[in-house]
């Protein structure tokens, strides 16, 4: 069994306690021991890494990943990528995420029905490098909903599959279960980029949402929902949706209901995409004026206040910002941690735990992922500097001295900090 001993590191274990000096022993793919300064861990034949005071912390976890979104300027462009090329580009994105320190991803939807499944299986078998991934279905939407780009005079595909009525949603959900997804994704509300169905509209009905949730429960799958409007959030909560994305346009009742189910549900507000759409998308034709006309500025303002309120109420709010568009590219996902500090007024510790400890929970692995503790999986980052002083360093790849997933270095530490096996 391979082993690695990290010595002379500042351990940010993401349990909520302040970072402390010490050592961490990894055996196989598991953290075997954590010792504070002054406690010598036996190295045996382990490879010894002298961290020289660098921070050792869990790998980052993305709660709203779209590894098959290829940094397009328009979502309809995803429909023009042939499946073969799309598979390769999805694998490239997985590698980019690992390079950025993300060792796990909870998918928020695949751009084609089997892309996530194929990628997850290839990563698990060691054929391609990438974060451990929970595979999702494409987004299930309704006619005129988010993702429906069809035209009467022209056939076009997008990232979504259009279903109308409970039985169509039920049939497609069962097909995705048959193919092997972990998560079923539904678009319950509209979106600022969908003229026929703005963000404050609720486009699915109770019977449609219930049909998907019934299939998920029958087969032990998760349900994730695009839900911006207050009513869409209430609908998700009524039927047992597990993960609610956005939740930006809440009212008092929706906030109360989310708080009442805080032990069960997860919320990822996806504010990063709203921010970049408003401020950084002009080179791709979306000026600030256009974004404001679509309601992006108002939604961002409402979303910020709602997430502050949910955080105060103890709701689990996780990072994830719809990365995969030209102005919000895959691999820059750690920017969300900064958004949580700057926009939502999270403490640096809370923001980092939203990307680690809570990430382990949304992955269904809260007892062995997302913290530096004995018995947990050895997904680790060695960071040059203190992220609690400046979370922005997690966006700087040259500050990620080492990246370990499942006890294996994806990025090995430089020679200057590696000692000889003892």
């Amino acid at each position: 069994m391979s082993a690695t001993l990290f010595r002379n590191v500042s351990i940010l274990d993401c349990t909520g306690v302040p970072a402390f000096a010490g050592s961490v022993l990894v055996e196989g793919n598991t953290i075997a021991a954590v010792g504070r300064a002054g406690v010598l861990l036996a190295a045996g034949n382990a490879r010894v890494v002298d961290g020289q005071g660098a921070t050792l912390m869990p790998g980052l976890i993305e709660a709203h990943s779209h590894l098959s979104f290829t940094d397009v300027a328009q979502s309809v462009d995803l429909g023009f990528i042939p499946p073969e090329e799309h598979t390769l580009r999805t694998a490239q994105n997985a590698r980019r995420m690992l390079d950025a320190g993300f060792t796990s991803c909870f998918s928020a939807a695949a751009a084609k029905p089997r892309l996530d499944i194929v990628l997850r299986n290839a990563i698990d078998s060691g054929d391609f490098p990438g974060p451990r991934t929970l595979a999702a279905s494409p987004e299930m939407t309704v006619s005129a909903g988010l993702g429906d780009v069809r035209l009467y005079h022209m056939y076009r595909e997008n990232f979504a599959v259009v279903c109308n009525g409970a039985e169509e949603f039920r049939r497609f959900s069962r097909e995705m279960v048959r193919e092997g997804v972990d998560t079923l994704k539904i678009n319950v509300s509209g979106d600022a980029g969908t003229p026929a169905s703005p963000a404050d509209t609720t486009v699915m009905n109770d019977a449609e949402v219930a049909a998907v949730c019934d299939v998920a429960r029958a087969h032990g799958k998760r349900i994730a929902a695009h839900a911006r409007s207050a009513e869409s959030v209430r609908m998700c909560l009524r039927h047992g949706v597990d993960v609610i994305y956005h939740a930006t346009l809440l009212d008092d009742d929706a906030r109360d209901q989310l708080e009442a189910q805080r032990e069960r549900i997860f919320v990822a507000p996806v504010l990063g995409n709203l921010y970049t759409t408003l401020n950084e998308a002009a080179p791709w034709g979306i000026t600030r004026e256009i974004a404001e006309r679509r309601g992006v500025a108002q939604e961002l303002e409402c979303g910020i206040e709602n997430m502050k309120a949910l955080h105060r109420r103890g709701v689990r709010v996780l990072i994830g910002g719809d990365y995969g568009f030209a102005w919000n590219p895959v691999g820059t996902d750690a920017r969300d941690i900064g958004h949580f500090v700057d926009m939502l007024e999270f403490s640096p510790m809370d923001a980092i735990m939203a990307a680690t400890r809570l990430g382990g929970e949304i992955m269904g692995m809260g007892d062995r992922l997302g913290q530096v503790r004995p018995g947990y999986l050895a997904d680790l980052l060695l960071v040059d500097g203190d992220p609690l002083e400046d979370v922005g360093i997690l966006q700087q790849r040259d500050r990620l001295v080492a990246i370990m997933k499942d006890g294996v270095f994806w990025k090995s530490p430089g020679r200057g900090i590696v000692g000889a096996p003892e």
Side-chain angles (χ1 to χ4, degrees), residues 345-373:
E345 299 175 357
F346 275 47
S347 70
M349 178 70 83
D350 282 351
I352 290 171
M353 289 201 300
T356 53
R357 180 176 179 173
L358 295 186
E361 293 177 11
I362 199 173
M363 293 292 291
M365 304 169 69
D367 59 345
R368 57 196 181 100
L369 183 67
Q371 299 176 61
V372 183
R373 298 174 61 182

Tab-separated table of all heavy atoms in Angstrom, residues 345-373:
chain	number	residue	atom	x	y	z
A	345	GLU	N	-21.183	37.919	2.186
A	345	GLU	CA	-20.624	38.236	3.504
A	345	GLU	C	-20.414	36.987	4.358
A	345	GLU	O	-20.519	37.029	5.582
A	345	GLU	CB	-21.509	39.260	4.230
A	345	GLU	CG	-21.623	40.568	3.476
A	345	GLU	CD	-22.583	41.563	4.113
A	345	GLU	OE1	-23.216	41.202	5.133
A	345	GLU	OE2	-22.708	42.681	3.599
A	346	PHE	N	-20.125	35.851	3.692
A	346	PHE	CA	-19.690	34.660	4.414
A	346	PHE	C	-18.309	34.936	4.996
A	346	PHE	O	-17.501	35.664	4.396
A	346	PHE	CB	-19.564	33.466	3.463
A	346	PHE	CG	-20.844	32.705	3.210
A	346	PHE	CD1	-22.024	33.359	2.903
A	346	PHE	CD2	-20.849	31.317	3.249
A	346	PHE	CE1	-23.184	32.664	2.643
A	346	PHE	CE2	-22.009	30.601	2.995
A	346	PHE	CZ	-23.180	31.270	2.698
A	347	SER	N	-18.012	34.341	6.126
A	347	SER	CA	-16.630	34.347	6.579
A	347	SER	C	-15.811	33.489	5.627
A	347	SER	O	-16.358	32.582	4.972
A	347	SER	CB	-16.529	33.786	7.994
A	347	SER	OG	-16.789	32.381	7.985
A	348	PRO	N	-14.503	33.724	5.501
A	348	PRO	CA	-13.688	32.846	4.656
A	348	PRO	C	-13.836	31.376	5.035
A	348	PRO	O	-13.888	30.503	4.150
A	348	PRO	CB	-12.269	33.359	4.888
A	348	PRO	CG	-12.454	34.815	5.198
A	348	PRO	CD	-13.720	34.869	6.009
A	349	MET	N	-13.935	31.085	6.329
A	349	MET	CA	-14.094	29.691	6.761
A	349	MET	C	-15.403	29.119	6.240
A	349	MET	O	-15.442	28.006	5.681
A	349	MET	CB	-14.052	29.600	8.284
A	349	MET	CG	-14.265	28.180	8.824
A	349	MET	SD	-12.864	27.070	8.486
A	349	MET	CE	-11.789	27.531	9.857
A	350	ASP	N	-16.497	29.852	6.385
A	350	ASP	CA	-17.791	29.348	5.923
A	350	ASP	C	-17.807	29.176	4.417
A	350	ASP	O	-18.393	28.220	3.887
A	350	ASP	CB	-18.918	30.291	6.351
A	350	ASP	CG	-19.298	30.132	7.820
A	350	ASP	OD1	-18.812	29.173	8.450
A	350	ASP	OD2	-20.076	30.962	8.321
A	351	ALA	N	-17.185	30.103	3.695
A	351	ALA	CA	-17.153	30.003	2.240
A	351	ALA	C	-16.355	28.775	1.795
A	351	ALA	O	-16.761	28.050	0.873
A	351	ALA	CB	-16.558	31.271	1.637
A	352	ILE	N	-15.230	28.539	2.439
A	352	ILE	CA	-14.413	27.371	2.081
A	352	ILE	C	-15.137	26.085	2.458
A	352	ILE	O	-15.108	25.098	1.713
A	352	ILE	CB	-13.029	27.469	2.754
A	352	ILE	CG1	-12.221	28.606	2.111
A	352	ILE	CG2	-12.273	26.155	2.645
A	352	ILE	CD1	-10.933	28.940	2.829
A	353	MET	N	-15.824	26.075	3.602
A	353	MET	CA	-16.568	24.867	3.974
A	353	MET	C	-17.743	24.621	3.030
A	353	MET	O	-18.154	23.474	2.833
A	353	MET	CB	-17.026	24.947	5.425
A	353	MET	CG	-15.883	24.804	6.413
A	353	MET	SD	-16.403	24.292	8.083
A	353	MET	CE	-17.481	25.638	8.521
A	354	ALA	N	-18.289	25.689	2.425
A	354	ALA	CA	-19.337	25.503	1.420
A	354	ALA	C	-18.802	24.781	0.195
A	354	ALA	O	-19.570	24.175	-0.559
A	354	ALA	CB	-19.922	26.851	1.021
A	355	ALA	N	-17.478	24.837	0.002
A	355	ALA	CA	-16.839	24.178	-1.138
A	355	ALA	C	-16.140	22.877	-0.758
A	355	ALA	O	-15.521	22.241	-1.616
A	355	ALA	CB	-15.816	25.127	-1.769
A	356	THR	N	-16.254	22.475	0.506
A	356	THR	CA	-15.553	21.258	0.949
A	356	THR	C	-16.481	20.390	1.799
A	356	THR	O	-17.042	19.416	1.307
A	356	THR	CB	-14.280	21.635	1.738
A	356	THR	OG1	-14.617	22.550	2.804
A	356	THR	CG2	-13.235	22.261	0.839
A	357	ARG	N	-16.669	20.774	3.035
A	357	ARG	CA	-17.491	19.963	3.941
A	357	ARG	C	-18.916	19.797	3.418
A	357	ARG	O	-19.441	18.672	3.356
A	357	ARG	CB	-17.512	20.601	5.323
A	357	ARG	CG	-18.349	19.841	6.339
A	357	ARG	CD	-18.255	20.478	7.707
A	357	ARG	NE	-19.076	19.780	8.694
A	357	ARG	CZ	-19.070	20.059	9.987
A	357	ARG	NH1	-18.294	21.014	10.461
A	357	ARG	NH2	-19.830	19.380	10.823
A	358	LEU	N	-19.571	20.892	3.036
A	358	LEU	CA	-20.926	20.777	2.512
A	358	LEU	C	-20.927	20.059	1.169
A	358	LEU	O	-21.892	19.370	0.823
A	358	LEU	CB	-21.571	22.154	2.378
A	358	LEU	CG	-21.812	22.930	3.672
A	358	LEU	CD1	-22.585	24.210	3.391
A	358	LEU	CD2	-22.545	22.081	4.705
A	359	GLY	N	-19.859	20.214	0.409
A	359	GLY	CA	-19.736	19.472	-0.837
A	359	GLY	C	-19.727	17.979	-0.607
A	359	GLY	O	-20.336	17.211	-1.354
A	360	GLY	N	-19.031	17.544	0.436
A	360	GLY	CA	-19.053	16.124	0.772
A	360	GLY	C	-20.462	15.646	1.079
A	360	GLY	O	-20.850	14.532	0.713
A	361	GLU	N	-21.248	16.512	1.719
A	361	GLU	CA	-22.620	16.140	2.065
A	361	GLU	C	-23.503	16.037	0.821
A	361	GLU	O	-24.291	15.097	0.686
A	361	GLU	CB	-23.190	17.148	3.062
A	361	GLU	CG	-22.493	17.093	4.420
A	361	GLU	CD	-23.003	18.147	5.392
A	361	GLU	OE1	-24.042	18.777	5.094
A	361	GLU	OE2	-22.357	18.340	6.440
A	362	ILE	N	-23.373	16.990	-0.117
A	362	ILE	CA	-24.214	16.907	-1.310
A	362	ILE	C	-23.813	15.723	-2.178
A	362	ILE	O	-24.649	15.161	-2.894
A	362	ILE	CB	-24.176	18.226	-2.121
A	362	ILE	CG1	-25.379	18.300	-3.062
A	362	ILE	CG2	-22.881	18.363	-2.898
A	362	ILE	CD1	-25.522	19.628	-3.792
A	363	MET	N	-22.570	15.297	-2.094
A	363	MET	CA	-22.131	14.109	-2.826
A	363	MET	C	-22.642	12.824	-2.168
A	363	MET	O	-22.448	11.728	-2.705
A	363	MET	CB	-20.604	14.060	-2.896
A	363	MET	CG	-19.958	15.146	-3.736
A	363	MET	SD	-20.268	15.010	-5.506
A	363	MET	CE	-19.318	13.537	-5.916
A	364	GLY	N	-23.286	12.945	-1.011
A	364	GLY	CA	-23.756	11.763	-0.291
A	364	GLY	C	-22.646	11.050	0.447
A	364	GLY	O	-22.785	9.881	0.809
A	365	MET	N	-21.537	11.771	0.690
A	365	MET	CA	-20.352	11.168	1.302
A	365	MET	C	-19.846	12.030	2.457
A	365	MET	O	-18.649	12.162	2.671
A	365	MET	CB	-19.252	10.996	0.245
A	365	MET	CG	-19.684	10.189	-0.967
A	365	MET	SD	-18.492	10.264	-2.334
A	365	MET	CE	-17.125	9.327	-1.634
A	366	GLY	N	-20.776	12.622	3.184
A	366	GLY	CA	-20.400	13.543	4.244
A	366	GLY	C	-19.604	12.921	5.366
A	366	GLY	O	-18.938	13.625	6.125
A	367	ASP	N	-19.642	11.595	5.478
A	367	ASP	CA	-18.886	10.913	6.535
A	367	ASP	C	-17.490	10.501	6.078
A	367	ASP	O	-16.740	9.909	6.850
A	367	ASP	CB	-19.649	9.681	7.020
A	367	ASP	CG	-19.918	8.678	5.914
A	367	ASP	OD1	-19.784	9.034	4.723
A	367	ASP	OD2	-20.273	7.524	6.236
A	368	ARG	N	-17.119	10.845	4.812
A	368	ARG	CA	-15.777	10.458	4.358
A	368	ARG	C	-15.219	11.331	3.239
A	368	ARG	O	-14.259	10.955	2.582
A	368	ARG	CB	-15.771	9.002	3.901
A	368	ARG	CG	-16.746	8.632	2.808
A	368	ARG	CD	-16.927	7.131	2.716
A	368	ARG	NE	-17.830	6.726	1.660
A	368	ARG	CZ	-17.457	6.266	0.471
A	368	ARG	NH1	-16.170	6.144	0.205
A	368	ARG	NH2	-18.337	5.905	-0.442
A	369	LEU	N	-15.797	12.500	3.035
A	369	LEU	CA	-15.316	13.388	1.978
A	369	LEU	C	-15.504	14.834	2.397
A	369	LEU	O	-16.515	15.188	2.999
A	369	LEU	CB	-16.088	13.116	0.674
A	369	LEU	CG	-15.666	13.913	-0.568
A	369	LEU	CD1	-14.266	13.498	-1.012
A	369	LEU	CD2	-16.663	13.693	-1.714
A	370	GLY	N	-14.529	15.673	2.088
A	370	GLY	CA	-14.663	17.099	2.308
A	370	GLY	C	-14.042	17.618	3.588
A	370	GLY	O	-14.180	18.811	3.893
A	371	GLN	N	-13.352	16.762	4.343
A	371	GLN	CA	-12.674	17.187	5.558
A	371	GLN	C	-11.348	16.434	5.668
A	371	GLN	O	-11.169	15.378	5.063
A	371	GLN	CB	-13.530	16.897	6.798
A	371	GLN	CG	-14.865	17.628	6.804
A	371	GLN	CD	-15.719	17.250	8.000
A	371	GLN	OE1	-15.330	17.457	9.147
A	371	GLN	NE2	-16.895	16.696	7.739
A	372	VAL	N	-10.434	16.996	6.442
A	372	VAL	CA	-9.153	16.331	6.709
A	372	VAL	C	-9.262	15.677	8.069
A	372	VAL	O	-8.963	16.270	9.105
A	372	VAL	CB	-7.978	17.333	6.660
A	372	VAL	CG1	-6.645	16.607	6.878
A	372	VAL	CG2	-7.964	18.081	5.329
A	373	ARG	N	-9.727	14.432	8.058
A	373	ARG	CA	-9.937	13.675	9.289
A	373	ARG	C	-9.597	12.216	9.039
A	373	ARG	O	-9.738	11.725	7.907
A	373	ARG	CB	-11.394	13.793	9.747
A	373	ARG	CG	-11.843	15.189	10.071
A	373	ARG	CD	-13.326	15.280	10.367
A	373	ARG	NE	-13.707	14.469	11.527
A	373	ARG	CZ	-14.962	14.351	11.964
A	373	ARG	NH1	-15.951	14.971	11.333
A	373	ARG	NH2	-15.236	13.629	13.012
